[in-house]
Amino acid sequence: MLTHYAETAAGLAHQLRDAHIDHDAFEMLLRPCTLERCSATCCYDGVYLSEEEARGVEWLVDKERGRFVEYGLKLPQKVVETVRNGMSQKTAVRVAEPDELACDFPNHFNKTRCVFLDSLGRCGIQSLCMEDGLGEWYLKPLTCWIHPVVILPAGRQRTRPVITLVNAVNDPQKKDDYPGFASCTHCGREDAGGQVAWKVLEKELRALGELAGRDIYGELSAPTIDY
């Protein structure tokens, strides 16, 4: 299985099966993610969790806290915190050390780190998965490894979900005092020296396709034929 979180994956798969793919968005140029360049900037605020993922992360820490210590992590007693007036849950964060942040760390991001990151920006959950031969993402919350791919749900503005990437103009988290999230991370921001996004994000797109029972990567990489 691709992920431990079957309920969360099933909900995502339901959206993906009927989703429109924003081909134009995936022509954006991106650079492949490397910790040397980004120092896990996208993990600065932790990750939002489904109920299932929150239970799973807490279970994992109860079971494997000693191994996380071996990875150099100093996990707090509570690794999942409740936010947004009790409406959401996310992984806890800690204050970042100055040398842990990328040299171009966005000014509007809090200087914090997900508690599951070590001093080099490596994810302890991913390290554990790989050590146990589970695949690098099996126990990671889905939002962690989907990034920077965005699935916009159906609603008043759209009749079908949309699989897309955001940019500095349409980033849905952009506000007057907050220029955005995904479009400001190293793996999600446009880069003239990069490659087309669907090539850079092949691993993520193939994994999403596996969840959905649909060849999302193949649909994006197929040449457009003009008649």
Side-chain angles (χ1 to χ4, degrees):
M1 290 181 63
L2 179 65
T3 178
H4 177 72
Y5 306 109
E7 295 175 13
T8 306
L12 180 61
H14 178 73
Q15 295 187 68
L16 292 170
R17 279 192 288 271
D18 187 48
H20 166 72
I21 298 176
D22 185 352
H23 287 257
D24 289 342
F26 283 94
E27 292 296 320
M28 180 169 68
L29 301 181
L30 300 179
R31 284 198 183 184
C33 180
T34 62
L35 285 181
E36 294 78 13
R37 186 167 72 98
C38 77
S39 300
T41 294
C42 64
C43 305
Y44 88 91
D45 194 37
V47 62
Y48 282 88
L49 306 166
S50 67
E51 289 284 346
E52 179 190 34
E53 290 170 330
R55 294 193 304 269
V57 167
E58 290 174 330
W59 162 82
L60 183 61
V61 172
D62 286 344
K63 180 173 177 285
E64 303 287 5
R65 185 176 284 271
R67 291 176 69 185
F68 287 120
V69 172
E70 292 176 4
Y71 297 153
L73 305 184
K74 297 179 180 179
L75 296 178
Q77 195 59 38
K78 291 188 66 174
V79 294
V80 174
E81 58 185 32
T82 302
V83 294
R84 294 181 177 175
N85 296 320
M87 299 298 293
S88 301
Q89 296 183 90
K90 60 186 285 293
T91 54
V93 298
R94 60 176 175 80
V95 175
E97 298 294 333
D99 61 352
E100 290 183 303
L101 301 178
C103 61
D104 55 352
F105 187 79
N107 290 330
H108 64 290
F109 285 2
N110 294 330
K111 293 182 179 180
T112 52
R113 309 281 276 168
C114 175
V115 295
F116 287 100
L117 294 180
D118 69 11
S119 60
L120 298 177
R122 297 173 300 196
C123 174
I125 296 178
Q126 183 165 326
S127 296
L128 188 149
C129 288
M130 296 176 71
E131 193 173 277
D132 287 355
L134 298 172
E136 58 187 324
W137 297 334
Y138 183 70
L139 291 167
K140 291 187 72 168
L142 274 71
T143 304
C144 290
W145 58 263
I146 289 171
H147 181 81
V149 179
V150 174
I151 295 93
L152 300 174
R156 287 184 295 179
Q157 294 182 327
R158 60 189 72 86
T159 58
R160 297 165 59 194
V162 177
I163 304 169
T164 189
L165 295 172
V166 300
N167 56 50
V169 175
N170 65 12
D171 192 320
Q173 297 190 45
K174 183 177 182 178
K175 300 176 183 177
D176 290 341
D177 58 347
Y178 190 86
F181 172 63
S183 63
C184 299
T185 62
H186 294 76
C187 51
R189 70 189 184 199
E190 295 184 75
D191 191 315
Q195 297 176 285
V196 289
W198 59 265
K199 289 184 177 180
V200 174
L201 300 172
E202 178 178 356
K203 185 186 297 184
E204 290 82 357
L205 294 168
R206 288 196 184 279
L208 288 173
E210 183 179 336
L211 286 181
R214 173 183 179 185
D215 187 5
I216 293 173
Y217 177 78
E219 292 177 53
L220 276 164
S221 60
T224 302
I225 301 174
D226 294 324
Y227 293 96

